[in-house]
């Protein structure tokens, strides 16, 4: 996954703009100068500027050239590191989740979801691949796939893992029915009822419900909106509590959008190895990075086999395919046996379609477009929140994925905002869904994995105005 | 599912032959007489005799008419009711299962499996339906299906359930990834680690492994090769042991091929209601009946919601689709929540294909052919076992499904037979796979869900000769 020349050039300017070396209103070098200085063609120079323009970092003024348009002050501030409350709330999150998550229809602007809208998915190309797969597959997919899953697909996942230094082999990978099933197997392979599980705070409600269904005790740990789980807090928990497993999202977490820097990933792996505690790594969003390169994963630093790396194409290609995977390290045999016993095998045909999509480079092609769309959207959301939400509203600034975390000024209830918004056909996910503690009442998660339209922009502005009126 | 006239006529003769009212060599009425007596056309009369001929019950002799060819003495006797041993064996069944079940290739004659061979499946038609489904489905199946599953499919399953008196509604049915996932959910909804689970003996190893993985204690109960679980034994177990759930195959059990008569089904439901013990009913083979009508299920007699009825199209249409279902009675909400938590949803596209196949009647059309093939095969197997296996060999006589149970004379080890057979590229499933007790060492399960060819016949004869040589 090498970087193109135009990306490298854009990257340099982006950094200068973000660090305010180049400030709003500054003129950028002419295209001709870019060509000469970088020894590139005019089309490469243009592409670099288009990239910056699409991110709203620069703007072209007729007959004058390109200028820095980015105004950092219009973006909301970033929330502080979370401090998990000590008081467990009385209500069950299940009811809230059911109310918010499962009662929407297509008329709603679904800011509550955490998957890209169908307009962002390559439906027509997937369909072509489906027809190819039905021809290439023995018996058109009517027969059992092997327990471990489609070999072509596992080869592709192994191959892609090298790009982030994980160097997995085909036999290290087991295909699952989406990332959720991967995590379900991982939890069942590493814990028993009553065990303590360390997670981020706030944490995806799906993970909370899964852990609760398995009878695990959840230990929510302080987490930074940019860098993820707090290393010191994790260290302290491993030293003082009987943590039996950790479940973390390394890249572009749900709901914060945080991404652990490499040195944090390395340190987390060092800590869990020292304490011999398995780490279940949810890396379902890792492919949707906005930066130049695919971030690494904790699995990249795993020497002991204690990291169970989980991923899927649900957030990038086709949620309805139910194709995910796990590289479970020393727990691989256990996971294979569990899958054989509880499922026999996965669905043959959707694995083959996914394999074809990855093999032919169509996946990478699609990802490039998806990443650009989501990056632009994330900036649009940030700008609109900065402009239209109550003074003092904070928002995380994800560098990948499709969700961000908004913190309204204290005492503004996101549950009340939910009630007001749904009357306008807008659905949000209130902060209370993402913890078992009594907290995050003034927070919400927003999904920017939608097509940015005038309607969406107006709805987001409306949401901001509604937030002004609630207390 | 009404019976055709020719089937009714054939049925009458079949009964007379099986009860030896008509004996081997007896001449049957002429076709003309059949027409007159039954007021049917010549083609209907011919069809009735063809049906009997295809089952090897009668044969036509040139210029003489039709004669009874069935010789009951050539069929092996039926085994006695099982008597579960009290001594638990030391070896793990997992190793045996892995060795036997998962190490075969296409060169092998796989008498060890329990699914129909791919030649018996309607691959080309399924493929056409796949293309239709990819068009009819919103976003070509790339999006999440509802948790409960495809509505068209659930409607079809509900509709079919009336034919056996179960009268289910759409909302009673939840689609699962095959019957195994249905049973996994059912067990997890009704039991916790350490509970006692009543099952048949011998019992499908898949069910044993599932129950073991969930930490359940398995109580194997006496089972009759024709009528299934022994009612008195079940009654006694419910009265004297702390049984928390029962897991039974009502129709064409694996491995025996037994089918519970209606009065047994009714009595089992009465018993579990009296003791308030949930019954997980595996009815995965119910559609593959050889008789005139689809047998009922225990669910047909369930008034209390304690029966969790599980099925799939894995044994009839496409194992690799992973489409099954559960009607979990009073546990339905629990199962839906579990599915939402552990899987989010099932694969969209294969559910849609299955729905289309059922809606258009293609499923019923295919089943008619499959049933006839399997019925004929079961008789071919029985005859060959009678002719070529050691004197005193017994075999169950299934009225549906694709497996039968063979009991070699005492002291003949089926494990030794397995070792000898695999050298000839024949794989069988030794009896030890179907129990946690020390028993069934002289038994084996055979799959007749294969195309009956000269090669298959020779291999079966060879297996019989090998059985003569082992001790």
């Amino acid at each position: 996954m090498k970087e193109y020349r135009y990306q490298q050039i854009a990257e340099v300017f982006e950094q200068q703009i973000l660090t305010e070396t180049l400030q709003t209103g500054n003129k950028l070098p002419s295209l001709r100068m870019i060509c000469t200085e970088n020894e590139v063609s005019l089309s490469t120079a243009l592409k670099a500027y288009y990239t910056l323009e699409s991110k709203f970092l620069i703007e072209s003024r007729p007959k004058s050239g390109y200028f820095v348009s980015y105004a950092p002050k219009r973006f909301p501030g970033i929330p502080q590191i979370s401090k998990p409350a000590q008081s467990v709330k009385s209500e069950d999150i299940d009811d809230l989740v059911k109310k918010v998550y499962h009662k929407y229809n297509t008329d709603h602007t679904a800011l509550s979801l955490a998957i890209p809208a169908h307009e962002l998915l390559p439906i027509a190309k997937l369909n072509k691949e489906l027809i190819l797969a039905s021809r290439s597959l023995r018996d058109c997919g009517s027969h059992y796939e092997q327990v471990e899953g489609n070999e072509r697909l596992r080869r592709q996942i192994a191959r892609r893992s090298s790009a982030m230094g994980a160097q997995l082999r085909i036999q290290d990978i087991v295909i699952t029915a989406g990332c959720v099933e991967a995590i379900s197997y991982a939890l069942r392979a590493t814990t028993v009822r009553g065990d303590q599980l360390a997670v981020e705070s706030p944490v995806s409600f799906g993970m909370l419900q899964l852990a609760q269904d398995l009878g695990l005790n959840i230990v929510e740990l302080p987490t930074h909106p940019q860098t993820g789980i707090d290393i010191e807090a994790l260290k302290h928990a491993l030293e003082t509590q009987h943590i039996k497993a950790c479940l973390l999202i390394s890249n572009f977490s749900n709901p914060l959008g945080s991404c652990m820097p490499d040195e944090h990933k390395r340190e987390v792996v060092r800590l869990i190895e020292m304490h011999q505690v398995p780490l279940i790594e949810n890396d379902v969003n890792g492919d949707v990075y906005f930066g130049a390169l695919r971030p690494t994963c904790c699995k990249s630093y795993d020497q002991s086999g204690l990291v169970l790396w989980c991923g899927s194409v649900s957030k990038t290609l086709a949620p309805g395919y139910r194709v995910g995977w796990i590289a479970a390290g020393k727990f691989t045999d256990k996971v294979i046996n569990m899958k054989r016993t509880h499922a026999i095998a996965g669905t043959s045909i959707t694995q083959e379609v996914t394999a074809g999509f990855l093999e032919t480079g169509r996946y990478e092609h699609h990802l490039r477009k998806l990443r650009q769309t989501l990056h632009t959207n994330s900036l649009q959301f940030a700008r609109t929140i900065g402009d239209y939400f109550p003074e003092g509203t904070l928002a995380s600034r994800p560098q990948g994925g499709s969700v961000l975390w908004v913190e309204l000024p204290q005492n503004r209830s996101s549950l009340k905002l939910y009630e007001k918004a749904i009357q306008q056909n807008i659905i949000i996910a209130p902060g209370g869904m993402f913890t078992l503690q009594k907290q995050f009442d003034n927070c919400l998660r927003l999904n920017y994995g939608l097509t940015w339209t005038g309607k969406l922009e107006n709805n987001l502005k409306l949401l901001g105005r509604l937030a002004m009126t609630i207390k």
Side-chain angles (χ1 to χ4, degrees), chain A:
Chain A
M1 289 189 237
K2 80 179 216 327
E3 215 180 1
Y4 288 102
R5 202 69 188 88
Y6 79 90
Q7 287 174 316
Q8 292 170 342
I9 297 168
E11 186 76 16
V12 170
F13 283 110
E14 182 165 348
Q15 281 311 313
Q16 292 181 344
I17 294 168
L18 291 174
T19 55
E20 300 193 55
T21 306
L22 281 170
Q23 294 185 330
T24 310
N26 284 172
K27 190 174 189 305
L28 276 85
S30 69
L31 287 168
R32 183 174 309 227
M33 199 176 293
I34 295 288
C35 295
T36 319
E37 280 181 358
N38 297 281
E39 299 181 340
V40 295
S41 67
L42 184 63
S43 86
T44 299
L46 261 170
K47 249 179 157 173
Y49 276 11
Y50 286 161
T51 304
L52 293 166
E53 218 178 352
S54 76
K55 294 182 183 176
F56 306 99
L57 294 170
I58 64 170
E59 57 193 35
S60 80
R61 296 183 194 159
K63 298 187 189 159
S64 315
Y66 286 87
F67 293 81
V68 177
S69 66
Y70 175 76
K73 280 162 224 70
R74 291 169 64 199
F75 279 71
I78 291 169
Q80 296 288 306
I81 188 168
S82 68
K83 295 187 194 70
Q86 293 308 310
S87 53
V88 175
K89 64 183 158 198
S90 48
E91 324 85 68
D92 202 338
I93 66 159
D94 288 358
D95 294 336
L96 183 56
V97 169
K98 226 176 260 177
K99 179 168 144 182
V100 169
Y101 214 65
H102 305 289
K103 295 284 171 204
Y104 77 96
N105 60 50
T106 45
D107 289 342
H108 287 136
T109 298
L111 299 173
S112 53
L113 303 181
I115 45 164
H118 66 273
E119 314 95 63
L120 305 181
L121 300 179
I123 311 289
K125 283 184 185 157
L126 276 175
N127 214 19
K128 271 190 201 157
E129 197 70 50
L130 178 69
I131 302 203
L132 287 177
S134 77
R135 285 184 201 140
S136 70
L137 208 57
R138 190 172 78 93
D139 308 324
C140 310
S142 69
H143 254 53
Y144 282 134
E145 186 49 81
Q146 6 174 357
V147 182
E148 297 86 340
N150 184 300
E151 200 164 311
R152 281 173 68 202
L153 178 56
R154 287 153 68 217
R155 180 175 296 117
Q156 288 306 312
I157 295 162
R159 193 182 58 74
R160 292 175 66 84
S161 78
S162 334
M164 43 182 157
Q167 308 281 11
L168 299 171
R169 301 161 306 166
I170 293 179
Q171 63 267 38
D172 295 326
I173 291 158
V174 180
I175 305 299
T176 58
C179 193
V180 169
E181 194 186 77
I183 294 169
S184 170
Y185 285 146
L187 286 170
R188 286 144 75 192
T190 57
T191 64
V192 295
R193 202 160 275 274
D195 279 353
Q196 307 235 63
L197 177 73
V199 300
E200 288 137 356
S201 163
V203 55
S204 136
F205 61 84
M207 298 303 100
L208 283 180
Q209 291 176 312
L210 196 49
Q212 284 191 306
D213 188 74
L214 296 171
L216 302 175
N217 297 319
I218 293 157
V219 180
E220 298 176 30
L221 295 177
T223 305
H224 192 277
Q226 296 292 98
T227 56
I229 190 102
D230 184 62
I231 301 292
E232 280 309 309
L234 178 64
K235 187 164 175 249
H236 186 71
L238 287 168
E239 282 166 2
T240 59
Q241 303 195 50
H242 290 289
I243 303 292
K244 281 296 173 58
C246 302
L247 171 56
L248 302 176
I249 306 187
S250 43
N251 299 316
F252 321 124
S253 73
N254 173 358
L256 283 178
S258 63
C259 179
M260 290 165 62
D262 282 359
E263 58 273 23
H264 283 210
K265 286 170 181 155
R266 202 178 286 118
E267 182 61 13
V268 165
V269 173
R270 198 186 65 79
L271 286 173
I272 60 126
E273 279 181 5
M274 188 194 292
H275 293 275
Q276 286 293 301
V277 170
L279 166 65
I280 301 163
E281 179 182 26
N282 177 343
D283 190 17
V284 72
N285 287 315
D287 283 343
V288 196
Y289 52 92
F290 303 156
L293 287 171
R294 209 288 186 194
T296 65
C297 51
C298 294
K299 189 74 187 168
S300 312
Y301 307 102
D302 179 30
Q303 299 293 325
S304 61
L306 278 170
V307 179
L308 299 92
W309 178 68
C310 305
S312 88
V313 294
S314 294
K315 306 279 188 178
T316 51
L317 203 60
Y321 274 25
R322 311 312 297 125
V323 171
W325 52 84
I326 183 168
K330 58 166 70 168
F331 302 94
T332 302
D333 284 347
K334 217 166 166 181
V335 166
I336 293 173
N337 284 335
M338 210 179 285
K339 188 179 169 196
R340 180 181 289 126
T341 304
H342 288 269
I344 303 181
T347 307
S348 308
I349 189 90
T350 51
Q351 293 184 35
E352 181 80 0
V353 177
T354 310
F357 225 74
L358 265 68
E359 258 177 17
T360 54
R362 290 197 189 94
Y363 183 59
E364 208 39 58
H365 179 81
H366 157 67
L367 279 179
R368 272 198 291 276
K369 203 172 141 193
L370 179 68
R371 288 194 286 252
Q372 202 160 22
T373 307
L374 292 178
H375 190 184
T376 304
N377 284 7
S378 75
L379 294 169
Q380 294 281 27
F381 267 61
R383 183 196 303 267
T384 311
I385 291 166
D387 283 344
Y388 291 88
F389 275 55
E391 187 71 33
T393 296
L394 306 173
S396 65
R397 204 169 298 163
Q399 293 307 304
S402 74
V403 294
L404 54 76
W405 183 249
V406 176
E407 199 175 306
L408 299 173
Q410 282 299 336
N411 301 326
R412 297 199 191 240
S413 153
S414 61
L415 206 54
K416 281 190 193 152
L417 180 59
Y418 167 84
E419 299 291 357
K420 288 214 166 191
I422 201 158
Q423 289 172 20
Q424 309 288 336
N425 277 343
I426 301 167
I427 313 201
I428 60 165
M433 289 164 72
F434 303 94
T435 178
L436 298 180
Q437 316 297 324
K438 239 179 165 23
Q439 57 183 342
F440 302 136
D441 289 344
N442 61 323
C443 299
L444 54 143
R445 186 189 71 182
L446 292 181
N447 169 35
Y448 53 83
L450 302 164
T451 306
W452 183 255
T453 59
K455 185 187 165 197
L456 176 58
E457 187 172 3
N458 285 335
N459 276 333
L460 200 56
K461 288 176 184 173
L462 174 57
L463 189 66
R465 284 195 299 273
L466 291 174
M468 304 267 192
T469 69
I470 49 131
K471 273 292 171 193

